[in-house]
Amino acid sequence: MEDIELKISLLQTEPTFKDINLAAGKIQNLAAKAVSQKKRPNILVAPRIFSTQHINTSFDPTVELLKNTAARCRTTVISFDVFNKVYAADPNGNIIASCTKSCEAKDETMVFSVDGVCCGIAPISNLKFPEAIKQSAALGAKVLFVLGAWPKSKEIYWKLLNIVRAIENQFFIVALNQFE
């Protein structure tokens, strides 16, 4: 495999079930801490931040938080919303890629570039479907970011599927799971 030079910080936190402002504050604090490090990351990855139980289905604040965090930190930020769609926002706060659970939508951009490295994104259950993951490899991804919400009881499957998909597609996988 070729040399890949990315600095990635995983912003691991539990979802907040009732207080959206608390959840947003947690992510913003973790992001600010990550970008203040000597080896500043060029990619931040956050798990699902809010619970679906307390979100109005017509508006999900996750996407705005993602864009604002990317712009404030001047780095690429990857996360997924309460509807299980993964997004990547560039350092200017623009959405540069998105992918639904099945990645069947033809107008979605599943790959993007960070410092010359082609990256892909995949949500939750796409690990179960090799053809969904192969789409990112076919588009040139060298690194795939997989965001999950797998239950703790299926942790072994989460780990194994990430390993298998990395081997099958000959790319690196950066996986962040929010155990439920």
Side-chain angles (χ1 to χ4, degrees), residues 119-136:
C119 301
I121 52 176
I124 301 180
S125 64
N126 283 15
L127 280 177
K128 297 178 196 173
F129 306 103
E131 61 279 1
I133 300 300
K134 285 182 184 182
Q135 289 179 36
S136 290

Side-chain angles (χ1 to χ4, degrees), residues 1-166:
M1 295 179 106
E2 64 190 80
D3 288 337
I4 304 286
E5 291 193 34
L6 293 176
K7 293 171 221 73
I8 302 163
S9 287
L10 304 178
L11 308 177
Q12 188 67 60
T13 183
E14 293 181 16
T16 300
F17 292 97
K18 294 183 180 178
D19 190 339
I20 291 172
N21 293 325
L22 176 64
K26 283 182 189 179
I27 289 301
Q28 290 168 342
N29 288 339
L30 288 171
K33 184 177 178 181
V35 297
S36 70
Q37 300 299 312
K38 184 176 180 181
K39 291 189 176 186
R40 190 178 195 287
N42 47 6
I43 300 176
L44 301 174
V45 186
R48 180 187 304 154
I49 302 163
F50 308 116
S51 165
T52 56
Q53 296 172 351
H54 296 282
I55 298 293
N56 178 330
T57 57
S58 65
F59 173 72
D60 175 5
T62 307
V63 178
E64 286 307 310
L65 175 63
L66 172 75
K67 290 170 23 177
N68 292 338
T69 302
R72 186 179 309 105
C73 294
R74 306 294 303 153
T75 190
T76 299
V77 179
I78 301 167
S79 189
F80 66 115
D81 67 10
V82 297
F83 307 113
N84 298 326
K85 186 169 185 173
V86 177
Y87 294 91
D90 70 11
N92 295 317
N94 301 311
I95 298 297
I96 54 173
S98 65
C99 183
T100 58
K101 205 170 180 178
S102 66
C103 286
E104 292 174 2
K106 300 298 181 205
D107 62 342
E108 290 188 315
T109 303
M110 300 179 317
V111 296
F112 57 97
S113 181
V114 174
D115 294 343
V117 177
C118 185
C119 301
I121 52 176
I124 301 180
S125 64
N126 283 15
L127 280 177
K128 297 178 196 173
F129 306 103
E131 61 279 1
I133 300 300
K134 285 182 184 182
Q135 289 179 36
S136 290
L139 293 169
K142 303 296 180 199
V143 179
L144 181 70
F145 293 88
V146 181
L147 282 77
W150 287 51
K152 183 75 172 158
S153 63
K154 296 188 180 193
E155 179 180 12
I156 188 69
Y157 303 116
W158 164 255
K159 290 178 180 179
L160 287 172
L161 285 171
N162 275 292
I163 292 167
V164 168
R165 298 300 171 247

